[in-house]
Amino acid sequence: MIGRIRNLEDYTVAYRTSVNEPEAFWAQQAESFYWRKKWDKVLDWDFEDYNVNWFKGGKLNITENCLDRHLLERGDKTAIIWEPNDPKEPNRTFTYKELHSEVCKFANVLQNNGVVKGDRVCIYMPMVPELTIAVLACARIGAIHSVIFAGFSASSLSSRVQDAEAKIVLTSDGAYRGAKTLDLKPIVDEALEFSDSVEKVLVLQRTQAEINMQEGRDLWWHEELAKADDQNAAVETDSEDPLFILYTSGSTGKPKGVVHTTGGYMVYTWYSFLNVFQYEENDVYWCTADIGWITGHSYIVYGPLLAGATSLMFEGVPTYPDAGRFWRICDKYQVNIFYTAPTAIRALMAYGLEHVELYDLKSLRVLGTVGEPINSEAWHWYHDHIGKNKCPIVDTWWQTETGGIMISPMAGITPTKPTYATLPLPGIQPVLLDSEGKEIEGKGVEGNLCIKFPWPSMIRTTYGDHERCKQTYFSTYKGYYFTGDGCKRDEDGYYRILGRVDDVINVSGHRLGTAEIENAINLHSAVVESAVVGYPHEIKGQGIYAYVICDGDMVEASDLEDIKKEVIATVNKAIGPIAKPDKVQIVRGLPKTRSGKIMRRILRKIAEGDTNNLGDTSTLLDPSIVESIKEGAQ
Ligand code: PRX
């Protein structure tokens, strides 16, 4: 089959061709799909005044490739297996035929409610099959989906809905997460208080919680569905029409809407899915991510369905009802390919092997990780106890902006090395740059990771603000896409991601901007200023350490413990539980240079507990501040 890499030699040839003849290489991959009209030109690009077009002039509908195309050969094959939060609740499965029919019905629901091509649809839902159906239904009618992780607060949801000027919001009454039942609809109600663009809210019944339905705006999902036909002619889109917006954090305060388009994203998510995981036709594949993040978009929904795979969706959490849940699900469905985050592995490691030993895990063939660096201990535990020393681990490095996996072993083909993402996929040309922007050649070197040639699923713009996209990714190093990650290339030419070099922290595989958290902390009326840094955290990878200056007139020394709790609650309300600081230290000042810049390097060292090695502090406005922060450190 076109596109398949089966051994190291295939990889070497594919890689070489992809660099020497990128257009021919990607055109060949794109031939696998159904295009209503073939492209006129494979690639047009400019990294200076950023603009990239893949498969220019091509016309298609991505859902015809995810669904219709499979109906003849795989109509009765299971497309989606859904495992509920509560193991006692029945599961649900959808064949390709059934999924096609559900997507068509919901596409009609959207159209009946006035949604047309180009409209933005915000989706704030739990991990239920209707979420996947809604995503695909948007794509079917050419609407742009913007999925917002259902753990975000009303204010985070509100800013995303407003930025995207969404016409409709899809949600549910509530959500189950482990032992907790969460209300989602009241959060949507609060978020929409200041939105003028949203005309309708469609509400799925999940928890049967009592909720308010606003007359004229809110509609029940099941009632709308009952009126809809199961035939829907897919709307033709251009290869470069936006498929979705996904908000992600950066080093400045406001999350940005990463825009992905259709043709290139389709080709690359399919190609990377097949090859990285070495997917086989009858495999059961499970990615534990939430569809609220890019991993869920590319490797629960699009990549697997484009490949005609069986993709498992899990509503719950790894530790409910107990820490063996993942492994029980692997046995229950005889999962062959399992893809998760290092933070989940570390958390489960801490619960002990007794939760693993109850299960046989014999069906597993390939294991994957994503989202953050995997430490050696977690890698070995995963390899030995879950993979029983026989499953290759693919440590996949990529980003919301890259759309698909960029650096990773091909399972069972690329020799692995713990903590290394290893080698670039065909089509990906990574380089390491020094602080002057010069390419660092050779092996055994470190630098800032950039990509010097376009790949099909790369970010096209940041929604509504192309300048911001250019500034963020293409201005640090002229002519290169800058990833924000530091990276090492070792003696074997293998890449190891060292972590972010900007003010972005990675907490349990979730990306958060320090400025975004600081803005949230500063909402507290007694806070004058704050600075947030990441520090190594055993389970989360990085924890959040907040240094906070309070207004002396408003706060008594005896109130400090309460203030800390309030600061945490303020962040919870402003962003959501994922951004809650792990440690809050009230300080009398921050280490600033004479020009007023906070020296975060010092704050990071103190948070790490490495206080003997703070470097030169003589340029600080008030060096004594450092001593007082050190004394109060946690
Ligand atoms: O720092 C890298 C880290 O996660 C960042 C991207 O985060 P996000 O856009 O949320 O996407 C996560 C899922 C694709 C990167 O800049 N990262 C991601 N994967 C790895 C990683 N760091 C080390 N190893 C990885 N495998």
Side-chain angles (χ1 to χ4, degrees):
M1 197 210 286
I2 295 175
R4 286 319 296 256
I5 291 171
R6 291 302 193 183
N7 51 50
L8 261 188
E9 201 196 331
D10 287 355
Y11 167 74
T12 314
V13 172
Y15 192 79
R16 201 185 308 128
T17 315
S18 76
V19 172
N20 295 338
E21 300 166 66
E23 297 197 25
F25 177 83
W26 287 115
Q28 196 191 15
Q29 310 311 325
E31 290 290 344
S32 308
F33 294 97
Y34 169 61
W35 297 81
R36 295 219 186 153
K37 175 185 164 285
K38 283 266 163 72
W39 52 91
D40 304 315
K41 192 160 190 290
V42 177
L43 172 63
D44 223 18
W45 68 291
D46 175 2
F47 272 9
E48 301 270 322
D49 189 27
Y50 180 55
N51 185 28
V52 161
N53 289 281
W54 280 95
F55 308 110
K56 205 171 173 175
K59 304 287 177 193
L60 73 160
N61 184 285
I62 195 169
T63 71
E64 288 185 333
N65 285 295
C66 289
L67 301 170
D68 305 57
R69 186 168 62 115
H70 299 308
L71 292 183
L72 268 185
E73 250 180 78
R74 305 188 180 92
D76 295 320
K77 177 175 174 177
T78 305
I80 301 282
I81 301 173
W82 176 74
E83 169 72 9
N85 177 64
D86 179 351
K88 291 198 233 59
E89 187 183 335
N91 66 358
R92 292 166 70 190
T93 60
F94 296 80
T95 63
Y96 271 92
K97 245 190 234 154
E98 288 164 344
L99 185 61
H100 176 264
S101 143
E102 293 302 320
V103 168
C104 286
K105 264 197 244 171
F106 200 68
N108 287 327
V109 167
L110 292 174
Q111 283 175 333
N112 293 344
N113 282 288
V115 183
V116 296
K117 184 173 169 190
D119 283 344
R120 275 79 55 215
V121 177
C122 281
I123 308 182
Y124 186 72
M125 286 178 68
M127 279 285 286
V128 289
E130 287 78 3
L131 167 55
T132 301
I133 291 165
V135 161
L136 293 168
C138 289
R140 187 132 188 119
I141 64 170
I144 303 167
H145 55 79
S146 170
V147 185
I148 295 141
F149 174 61
F152 277 120
S153 66
S155 117
S156 294
L157 173 60
S158 167
S159 62
R160 285 157 174 78
V161 168
Q162 285 182 49
D163 188 79
E165 295 176 282
K167 189 177 209 173
I168 191 162
V169 173
L170 312 179
T171 190
S172 66
D173 45 6
Y176 296 120
R177 254 185 97 67
K180 287 188 233 155
T181 304
L182 312 168
D183 290 332
L184 294 190
K185 177 62 168 47
I187 298 178
V188 172
D189 290 339
E190 190 184 336
L192 296 190
E193 269 171 31
F194 304 101
S195 149
D196 336 307
S197 65
V198 174
E199 294 168 10
K200 287 187 178 158
V201 178
L202 283 178
V203 188
L204 179 81
Q205 271 186 326
R206 175 65 188 124
T207 59
Q208 322 295 325
E210 240 181 71
I211 53 168
N212 284 322
M213 293 292 277
Q214 187 177 309
E215 184 82 44
R217 186 194 69 179
D218 301 349
L219 299 164
W220 285 111
W221 194 291
H222 58 274
E223 289 178 3
E224 293 304 296
L225 210 55
K227 296 184 229 160
D229 189 79
D230 67 355
Q231 300 291 314
N232 179 278
V235 168
E236 184 168 290
T237 60
D238 188 272
S239 179
E240 282 298 342
D241 277 341
L243 176 64
F244 64 85
I245 305 171
L246 190 54
Y247 285 85
T248 189
S249 299
S251 37
T252 52
K254 196 173 151 241
K256 45 185 177 275
V258 171
V259 175
H260 282 290
T261 59
T262 310
Y265 179 82
M266 172 177 79
V267 172
Y268 195 79
T269 51
W270 163 83
Y271 181 82
S272 51
F273 172 75
L274 282 185
N275 287 309
V276 168
F277 299 108
Q278 288 293 300
Y279 165 73
E280 302 288 349
E281 179 69 43
N282 293 316
D283 282 344
V284 175
Y285 162 86
W286 180 20
C287 166
T288 70
D290 191 291
I291 294 175
W293 312 109
I294 190 69
T295 307
H297 282 62
S298 302
Y299 299 109
I300 295 178
V301 182
Y302 288 109
L305 295 180
L306 288 163
T310 300
S311 181
L312 197 156
M313 249 183 108
F314 175 44
E315 185 185 33
V317 298
T319 49
Y320 180 80
D322 58 60
R325 186 72 192 277
F326 271 5
W327 322 127
R328 190 176 329 152
I329 296 174
C330 284
D331 276 5
K332 179 171 175 188
Y333 298 105
Q334 293 291 291
V335 171
N336 305 106
I337 305 172
F338 177 74
Y339 190 30
T340 195
T343 190
I345 299 168
R346 288 190 297 263
L348 295 177
M349 252 170 92
Y351 281 89
L353 279 178
E354 59 270 30
H355 295 282
V356 180
E357 282 160 357
L358 293 171
Y359 306 99
D360 90 14
L361 302 177
K362 283 217 177 73
S363 58
L364 290 175
R365 196 182 75 242
V366 173
L367 301 177
T369 68
V370 59
E372 46 176 328
I374 179 162
N375 50 311
S376 198
E377 204 191 348
W379 194 98
H380 283 290
W381 187 86
Y382 197 31
H383 187 258
D384 298 352
H385 300 293
I386 306 306
K388 315 289 183 202
N389 290 307
K390 67 172 179 54
C391 302
I393 294 182
V394 289
D395 174 354
T396 64
W397 172 81
W398 57 295
Q399 309 178 297
T400 305
E401 295 85 344
T402 69
I405 299 169
M406 302 287 278
I407 302 183
S408 166
M410 310 286 118
I413 294 174
T414 318
T416 57
K417 207 191 266 193
T419 75
Y420 281 78
T422 74
L423 297 172
L425 264 69
I428 307 307
Q429 300 187 34
V431 287
L432 302 183
L433 298 191
D434 66 17
S435 49
E436 263 117 61
K438 276 215 239 25
E439 284 188 28
I440 308 170
E441 308 281 344
K443 296 181 172 172
V445 291
E446 275 183 35
N448 288 337
L449 179 61
C450 294
I451 315 289
K452 72 170 180 191
F453 194 82
W455 63 99
S457 63
M458 70 187 299
I459 179 175
R460 296 302 196 270
T461 190
T462 44
Y463 191 75
D465 190 354
H466 192 59
E467 197 49 40
R468 188 166 179 208
C469 174
K470 283 200 270 191
Q471 276 300 320
T472 312
Y473 307 105
F474 297 94
S475 70
T476 316
Y477 300 111
K478 252 195 160 15
Y480 297 90
Y481 166 81
F482 177 41
T483 65
D485 281 319
C487 184
K488 169 180 166 181
R489 184 167 53 226
D490 78 351
E491 299 305 329
D492 297 323
Y494 272 22
Y495 290 87
R496 180 185 188 185
I497 309 302
L498 301 171
R500 303 287 305 197
V501 294
D502 53 8
D503 291 321
V504 167
I505 50 184
N506 192 324
V507 182
S508 301
H510 301 313
R511 188 167 146 183
L512 294 162
T514 51
E516 190 185 351
I517 306 173
E518 287 159 10
N519 290 346
I521 293 174
N522 299 348
L523 293 173
H524 190 288
S525 57
V527 171
V528 176
E529 196 180 359
S530 62
V532 164
V533 296
Y535 71 97
H537 186 288
E538 224 174 283
I539 306 284
K540 298 179 175 184
Q542 279 190 297
I544 302 172
Y545 197 121
Y547 298 92
V548 178
I549 305 175
C550 289
D551 182 339
D553 293 338
M554 290 176 67
V555 180
E556 299 277 322
S558 56
D559 296 341
L560 291 186
E561 284 312 310
D562 288 340
I563 291 277
K564 286 184 193 177
K565 285 192 197 126
E566 286 170 28
V567 161
I568 294 171
T570 306
V571 177
N572 190 28
K573 176 125 181 59
I575 305 176
I578 54 173
K580 283 199 294 199
D582 298 277
K583 293 182 180 178
V584 178
Q585 183 182 348
I586 309 291
V587 294
R588 68 174 169 84
L590 292 166
K592 287 190 179 169
T593 60
R594 293 201 173 87
S595 60
K597 197 169 170 313
I598 299 173
M599 287 188 77
R600 287 173 186 273
R601 179 180 55 79
I602 293 176
L603 295 176
R604 269 187 225 113
K605 289 259 180 209
I606 296 174
E608 281 164 21
D610 183 10
T611 50
N612 294 327
N613 188 19
L614 294 182
D616 184 13
T617 54
S618 61
T619 56
L620 292 177
L621 191 60
D622 177 3
S624 76
I625 289 282
V626 175
E627 288 312 310
S628 76
I629 297 179
K630 263 163 68 176
E631 276 163 30
Q634 301 176 11

